[in-house]
């Protein structure tokens, strides 16, 4: 299949079953919880994390009927983290619409995130599986650490690539990796298989965030669903900017930092920076690095014989670097 034709349509049946389970699990006696949840969980979202979990279970020959029920854990944790993230970022837009914090305010958005996270754990305990729960809770710890590390480096134009990689590995890749690992754990797969799937998830997760950060410089808002240049405005230094700054003279970096980092960038500063990042090859470099992570991820699947499920996971890796939103 040519790369540009790759999309998620081939997974439609999986998404239908995942959505059915999300509906089944989601209920509250409090109308506001249902209202905000309906908006945050059900009106959009790619469902990539539950899909990856289901595919990993299938790859490990898991035959339990509860796989779709457990897949919801990863969507609930993901949406909970986005609700919190939008409050932290003071974001106005998410998935082409006003963010939940914009519509209901920060307090309701934070509490809805808490609700969804608690819901995820209440589903998880039904697995009655301590290694599964251990992996999940460790994942939540890592995500939070990543987010705090990112916070500690807001407006840090000296941020190194290694520090950036540590942030994105923890805040984003850990959940995707956790979904893969939990698939192996639920399936009682041998430890070398769990390790391979953990690494597969970590590598595609890193690629996913590299592309997210790249799209922040390249996409149109209409496609991406959130404003372009959002990271710069939020003081987030990401790999395209790190590559760009590494090619500038120190005085030039200093001058741009004075304008952008200290007082918060004006529209014109954001445009200047976007132009600079687009002009100097930083985006190609970032994309190549994302591609290398996907290649690395796919190599970890070598422990499995060729099968349609394995090809699905490989395709998903390719989708992650080809996506436009
Ligand atoms: C979005 O990234 C945010 C994350 C990947 C992680 C958020 C994690 C937390 C808030 C802490 C853990 C929370 C729970 C519930 C365990 P981004 O800001 O790069 O993407 P964006 O541009 O879409 O905002
Ligand atoms: Mg954010």
């Amino acid at each position: 299949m040519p790369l540009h034709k790759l999309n998620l349509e081939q997974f439609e049946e999986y998404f239908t079953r995942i959505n059915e389970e999300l509906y089944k699990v989601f209920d509250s006696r409090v109308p506001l919880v249902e209202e905000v949840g309906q908006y945050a969980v059900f009106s959009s979202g790619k469902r990539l994390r539950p899909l990856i979990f289901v595919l990993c279970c299938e790859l490990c020959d898991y035959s339990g009927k509860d796989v779709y029920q457990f897949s919801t854990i990863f969507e609930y944790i993901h949406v909970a983290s986005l609700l919190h993230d939008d409050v932290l970022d003071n974001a106005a837009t998410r998935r082409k619409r006003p963010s939940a914090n914009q519509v209901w305010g920060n307090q309701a958005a934070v509490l809805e995130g808490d609700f969804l996270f608690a819901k995820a754990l209440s589903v998880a305990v039904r697995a009655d599986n301590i290694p599964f729960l251990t992996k999940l809770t460790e994942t939540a710890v890592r995500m939070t650490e990543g987010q705090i590390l990112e916070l500690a480096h807001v407006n840090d134009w000296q941020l190194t690539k290694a520090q950036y990689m540590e942030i994105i590995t923890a805040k984003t890749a850990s959940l995707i990796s956790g979904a893969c690992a939990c698939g192996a754990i639920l399936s009682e797969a041998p430890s070398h298989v769990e390790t391979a799937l953990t690494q597969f998830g970590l590598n595609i997760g890193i690629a996913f965030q590299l592309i997210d950060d790249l799209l922040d410089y390249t996409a149109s808002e209409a496609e991406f669903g959130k404003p372009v240049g959002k990271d710069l405005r939020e003081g987030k230094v990401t790999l395209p900017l790190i590559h760009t700054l590494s090619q500038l003279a120190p005085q030039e970096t200093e001058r741009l930092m004075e304008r952008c980092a200290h007082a918060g960038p004006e529209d014109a500063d954001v445009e200047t920076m976007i132009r600079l990042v687009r002009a100097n090859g930083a985006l190609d470099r970032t994309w190549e690095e994302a591609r290398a992570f996907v290649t690395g991820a796919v190599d970890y699947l070598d422990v499995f014989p060729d099968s349609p499920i394995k090809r699905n996971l490989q395709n998903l890796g390719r989708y992650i670097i080809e996506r436009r939103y």
Side-chain angles (χ1 to χ4, degrees):
M1 195 187 306
L3 283 181
H4 63 276
K5 284 273 161 58
L6 197 63
N7 57 39
L8 295 176
E9 275 166 29
Q10 62 182 305
F11 301 113
E12 218 36 68
E13 280 175 35
Y14 287 91
F15 294 136
T16 303
R17 294 189 66 184
I18 289 166
N19 285 327
E20 277 167 14
E21 284 300 320
L22 282 169
Y23 267 109
K24 259 190 235 166
V25 171
F26 184 84
D27 66 316
S28 168
R29 65 204 90 186
V30 179
L32 184 59
V33 171
E34 296 221 326
E35 191 184 329
V36 185
Q38 185 71 34
Y39 189 84
V41 182
F42 295 110
S43 33
S44 61
K46 294 189 279 289
R47 313 294 190 228
L48 280 183
R49 291 152 190 83
L51 172 66
I52 289 169
F53 169 78
V54 172
L55 291 175
C56 286
C57 288
E58 288 184 343
L59 197 60
C60 295
D61 294 325
Y62 182 69
S63 55
K65 289 194 186 65
D66 41 17
V67 58
Y68 281 92
Q69 182 192 169
F70 293 133
S71 79
T72 63
I73 295 165
F74 304 97
E75 190 65 13
Y76 283 134
I77 295 181
H78 173 56
V79 178
S81 77
L82 292 184
L83 284 165
H84 287 181
D85 183 61
D86 283 342
V87 172
L88 293 168
D89 294 346
N90 203 14
T93 315
R94 166 78 58 192
R95 296 170 173 167
K96 305 186 183 182
R97 298 172 314 166
S99 53
N101 51 305
Q102 181 77 11
V103 181
W104 285 276
N106 284 347
Q107 288 147 320
V110 166
L111 290 168
E112 187 72 24
D114 294 341
F115 173 85
L116 294 177
F117 186 58
K119 246 325 175 202
L121 292 183
S122 77
V123 175
V125 292
R126 295 179 202 164
D128 196 16
N129 182 329
I130 292 295
F132 184 89
L133 285 174
T134 305
K135 179 56 74 177
L136 262 186
T137 46
E138 281 173 3
T139 298
V141 167
R142 288 295 289 141
M143 290 171 72
T144 313
E145 284 176 342
Q147 196 74 357
I148 294 181
L149 199 56
E150 183 179 77
L151 180 67
H153 286 284
V154 166
N155 283 332
D156 175 6
W157 281 38
Q158 314 298 330
L159 187 78
T160 63
K161 183 178 168 190
Q163 289 170 318
Y164 164 81
M165 293 305 289
E166 192 183 346
I167 291 170
I168 68 167
T169 302
K171 78 168 186 175
T172 305
S174 60
L175 182 58
I176 298 178
S177 178
C180 294
C182 281
I185 292 169
L186 194 69
S187 313
E188 296 180 358
S191 71
H192 75 278
V193 168
E194 183 188 328
T195 304
L197 286 180
T198 302
Q199 290 302 326
F200 168 79
L202 211 58
N203 281 275
I204 58 166
I206 291 169
F208 184 90
Q209 188 63 44
L210 288 175
I211 297 296
D212 205 67
D213 293 343
L214 182 148
L215 288 171
D216 199 72
Y217 284 96
T218 60
S220 67
E221 180 170 352
E223 268 186 313
F224 198 25
K226 46 193 179 186
V228 175
K230 177 173 167 285
D231 288 339
L232 264 178
R233 287 177 212 275
E234 290 170 2
K236 307 267 178 64
V237 176
T238 62
L239 197 56
L241 183 59
I242 293 172
H243 283 329
T244 304
L245 295 178
S246 74
Q247 292 184 10
L248 298 180
Q251 317 87 282
E252 181 67 354
T253 302
E254 192 68 30
R255 195 184 64 78
L256 291 167
M257 192 175 77
E258 279 294 320
R259 291 196 63 86
C260 295
H262 294 165
E266 305 278 337
D267 285 350
D269 298 325
V270 173
E271 276 163 31
T272 305
M273 288 309 303
I274 290 178
R275 232 179 299 120
L276 212 52
V277 170
R278 285 179 177 174
N280 88 345
L283 297 170
D284 287 344
R285 261 177 92 181
T286 304
W287 194 84
E288 279 304 332
E289 284 168 276
R291 195 164 67 114
F293 275 102
V294 168
T295 305
V298 167
D299 285 347
Y300 279 105
L301 298 180
D302 283 351
V303 294
F304 298 98
D306 192 28
S307 70
I309 307 294
K310 180 172 161 174
R311 281 196 293 279
N312 278 339
L313 278 169
Q314 290 165 335
N315 280 344
L316 212 55
R318 282 173 46 205
Y319 164 79
I320 279 172
I321 46 173
E322 292 300 321
R323 73 197 175 99
R324 292 283 172 269
Y325 66 97

